[in-house]
Amino acid sequence: AAGEKKPGEKAPREKKRGKKKTGEKKPAEQKPSQRAVGEKKKKIKRHHASRNPVLARGIGRYSRSAMYVRKALYKRKYTAPETKIEKKKKEKPRATIIKPVGGDKNGGSRVVKIRKMPRYYPTEDVPRKLLSHGKKPFSQHKRRLRASITPGTVLILLTGRHRGKRVVFLKQLGTGLLLVTGPLVINRVPLRRAHQKFVIATSTKVDISGVKIPKHLTDAYFKKKRLRKPKHQEGEIFDTEKEKYEITEQRKSDQKAVDSQILARIKKVPQLRGYLRSTFCLSNGVYPHKLVF
Amino acid sequence: VFKRFVEIGRVAFISFGPHAGKLVAIVDVIDQNRALVDGPCSGVRRQAMPFKCMQLTDFVLKFPHSARQKCVRLAWEKENINEKWAATRWAKKIEAREKKAKMTDFDRYKVMKAKKMRNRIIKHEMKKLQRLASKKGKKPEKPEKSEKPEKPEKAQKSAKVQKAQKVQK
């Protein structure tokens, strides 16, 4: 009954609109087209309420076929049905592939399935996990940077082989780590990543406004590389892995490119070079919580 | 034994409390523990203040007891207490302490370098004198010579320290 009311209501409305349309065709040609567009928009916007009254939750009064008629879906066909020729012409993804096979009498090639059936079905199904919310993977985490750390700040590294060294901050990388450089000639710290938490930010800043840092210095550039192809040989597994880290030419050239720009600015500030060369240390009577950095 | 007394007009330095670090003049004594105090030129309103938080200075102003703020101000400005205070060693020590606490890491480095340079100069001169003295043998002129040239050294030292302080600023 509720469903029936609404089509009834809509009908007289449509009639009224029709009257308006015809009545006002005369004044200007622009207006009816606009109004037609407006009305079309309105027509599209007005979604009809459900034409299938609810008997109980999940149970409607009319069957699928009855609803087909009630919704007039026979009038609402937007794509033509696929003909048999089109179906045949449709490209299916490849199911098998032909691979060469070695050996003398093996016939040269085999036909291999690309998507194979699973080789193991567990006896018990894995239970469905409950929906969680806001648990993002690391790559989508929000990266924060302390307000005291801005490009050009002198940082004191606290961990790692360069602990205690004072170093110039360049920028924050995609994973949140800080890109930092000695510069190399001053304190033997190369372009390196440092963690924000293990660093003291001093209030000393170098003006790095015009310095251009090459764009290829990202986390992938600095990530440690590990070889994984020992070919299952029992002996000499440890030799094949990179024991010694070798400085590539690219690193050297990048270091030079960045450092040359920064060194010029460091020279302008008196005593800054010596400051960067020195290391930070605590002694008697020096308490970090009382120091102003 | 005691040189500074609580009297009307005594200028006191407030050591702790909300007005820590300011100078006030004692206007009147209320009882054994409190005084009526006023610091028109140092931003302290006329109020009662316990003696415990006051430290007496060497300055005394002249005004009658319970004089109003205008009189206290006049006396203060006449004696130029603010400038006199800034010239005392007490105030300078306080200032130096504050500056030291505000030193940044870079400043500490610069001070270290200045001190090192200064000490090197002093040692150098000392060694020179010692060498001279030892060369000349056991002559009684030794102690005199080692003492006198130190004074011009001190002038140099102070120049270095001033440089360091300027750098700090």
Side-chain angles (χ1 to χ4, degrees):
Chain A
E4 277 178 313
K5 260 189 192 174
K6 293 219 172 151
E9 277 172 19
K10 216 189 174 186
R13 258 187 232 143
E14 285 182 62
K15 279 186 188 170
K16 275 187 190 172
R17 271 199 217 129
K19 278 186 184 173
K20 276 187 181 173
K21 244 190 179 174
T22 51
E24 292 183 36
K25 255 188 189 173
K26 290 177 195 173
E29 281 186 350
Q30 290 178 3
K31 280 192 183 175
S33 62
Q34 276 183 0
R35 284 185 113 251
V37 167
E39 282 173 18
K40 264 194 198 167
K41 279 191 184 166
K42 279 191 185 172
K43 275 189 186 173
I44 290 170
K45 268 194 182 173
R46 285 243 179 107
H47 288 295
H48 199 280
S50 170
R51 294 178 213 263
N52 195 357
V54 172
L55 299 171
R57 194 163 87 115
I59 304 175
R61 168 70 185 79
Y62 299 104
S63 68
R64 255 186 208 272
S65 43
M67 284 311 299
Y68 187 89
V69 171
R70 288 169 68 83
K71 289 202 269 190
L73 293 175
Y74 53 85
K75 278 201 239 175
R76 297 198 219 176
K77 294 201 176 144
Y78 301 115
T79 57
E82 222 178 47
T83 60
K84 281 199 180 169
I85 302 170
E86 284 177 328
K87 243 195 183 171
K88 279 197 183 169
K89 276 194 182 171
K90 232 201 301 190
E91 273 231 15
K92 280 187 250 178
R94 283 227 54 127
T96 62
I97 197 168
I98 299 171
K99 282 201 163 174
V101 156
D104 259 6
K105 302 181 186 176
N106 281 341
S109 63
R110 293 272 180 279
V111 179
V112 171
K113 274 195 183 183
I114 292 176
R115 307 202 82 207
K116 299 180 195 136
M117 301 301 292
R119 63 194 148 101
Y120 171 70
Y121 288 99
T123 45
E124 268 179 14
D125 284 323
V126 177
R128 280 209 105 168
K129 287 189 173 169
L130 295 166
L131 285 172
S132 71
H133 138 86
K135 308 283 182 284
K136 291 188 187 165
F138 180 71
S139 54
Q140 291 174 27
H141 282 177
K142 225 182 186 180
R143 314 290 175 199
R144 285 172 231 261
L145 188 60
R146 293 209 292 254
S148 52
I149 303 180
T150 62
T153 313
V154 173
L155 306 173
I156 300 176
L157 300 177
L158 295 173
T159 55
R161 57 176 58 220
H162 298 288
R163 60 195 86 102
K165 293 203 182 163
R166 290 181 242 252
V167 125
V168 177
F169 168 67
L170 297 174
K171 66 184 261 209
Q172 186 180 36
L173 300 172
T175 50
L177 297 170
L178 313 178
L179 177 60
V180 127
T181 178
L184 191 65
V185 277
I186 296 183
N187 53 17
R188 288 303 285 169
V189 177
L191 278 167
R192 204 169 201 269
R193 295 187 292 176
H195 192 111
Q196 213 187 127
K197 281 265 169 190
F198 303 107
V199 132
I200 295 179
T202 63
S203 50
T204 317
K205 315 239 182 222
V206 184
D207 184 21
I208 295 199
S209 39
V211 165
K212 287 182 191 167
I213 301 163
K215 296 226 167 153
H216 59 264
L217 298 176
T218 62
D219 283 293
Y221 176 90
F222 288 106
K223 195 163 169 63
K224 284 190 187 146
K225 280 107 190 159
R226 304 213 185 259
L227 294 173
R228 274 288 160 217
K229 281 187 181 180
K231 290 198 177 173
H232 297 289
Q233 277 178 354
E234 285 287 318
E236 296 175 7
I237 295 176
F238 299 109
D239 285 355
T240 51
E241 284 195 38
K242 250 196 247 173
E243 271 182 22
K244 250 219 141 189
Y245 163 71
E246 276 134 17
I247 310 168
T248 61
E249 284 303 316
Q250 197 196 17
R251 287 245 185 177
K252 288 189 196 172
S253 65
D254 288 332
Q255 185 75 47
K256 252 194 205 173
V258 175
D259 278 1
S260 54
Q261 296 176 64
I262 294 178
L263 277 170
R265 285 151 220 262
I266 289 176
K267 275 193 182 167
K268 288 186 193 165
V269 183
Q271 298 191 299
L272 187 60
R273 188 151 198 264
Y275 176 58
L276 290 172
R277 285 191 71 202
S278 63
T279 48
F280 174 76
C281 58
L282 295 171
S283 60
N284 265 355
V286 177
Y287 305 111
H289 71 288
K290 290 219 151 179
L291 289 179
V292 168
F293 282 103
Chain B
V1 175
F2 291 107
K3 291 180 201 146
R4 300 174 185 154
F5 300 97
V6 169
E7 48 193 322
I8 310 293
R10 172 67 67 181
V11 174
F13 173 79
I14 304 175
S15 52
F16 60 84
H19 297 287
K22 297 185 187 160
L23 290 178
V24 274
I26 295 176
V27 174
D28 206 351
V29 170
I30 299 169
D31 60 12
Q32 203 200 344
N33 305 319
R34 292 181 298 151
L36 176 61
V37 119
D38 198 353
C41 303
S42 54
V44 181
R45 286 201 187 173
R46 188 167 246 243
Q47 57 191 266
M49 198 175 275
F51 287 116
K52 275 193 181 167
C53 69
M54 290 191 269
Q55 293 176 348
L56 305 177
T57 66
D58 287 328
F59 307 120
V60 183
L61 300 172
K62 274 219 123 184
F63 52 77
H65 77 277
S66 314
R68 58 194 242 260
Q69 191 174 59
K70 185 176 174 183
C71 301
V72 176
R73 187 193 294 272
L74 280 173
W76 192 294
E77 281 170 0
K78 186 179 177 191
E79 292 284 320
N80 236 339
I81 297 291
N82 284 341
E83 284 182 20
K84 283 188 187 169
W85 169 249
T88 60
R89 279 179 179 270
W90 187 347
K92 286 185 190 163
K93 273 190 263 168
I94 295 171
E95 205 200 325
R97 219 181 298 144
E98 280 174 13
K99 279 215 182 115
K100 196 176 181 188
K102 272 195 232 165
M103 261 204 286
T104 73
D105 199 42
F106 191 20
D107 293 335
R108 257 172 266 132
Y109 169 79
K110 289 187 232 174
V111 166
M112 183 262 283
K113 285 286 171 182
K115 269 195 189 168
K116 212 172 175 187
M117 223 196 306
R118 163 181 175 249
N119 289 337
R120 207 166 273 165
I121 295 170
I122 295 170
K123 265 200 204 135
H124 182 68
E125 293 296 317
M126 268 299 287
K127 296 277 175 171
K128 266 207 272 181
L129 294 168
Q130 280 174 351
R131 258 186 286 120
L132 276 175
S134 64
K135 263 192 196 173
K136 286 197 174 175
K138 298 166 193 172
K139 288 200 175 168
E141 291 170 292
K142 263 194 256 170
E144 290 175 58
K145 279 197 175 172
S146 57
E147 275 174 36
K148 278 183 194 171
E150 266 190 63
K151 282 171 191 171
E153 287 312 311
K154 280 188 182 170
Q156 277 189 26
K157 283 183 230 168
S158 59
K160 289 290 165 195
V161 170
Q162 276 170 17
K163 185 191 179 187
Q165 282 177 352
K166 276 182 191 171
V167 157
Q168 278 177 51
K169 284 179 198 176

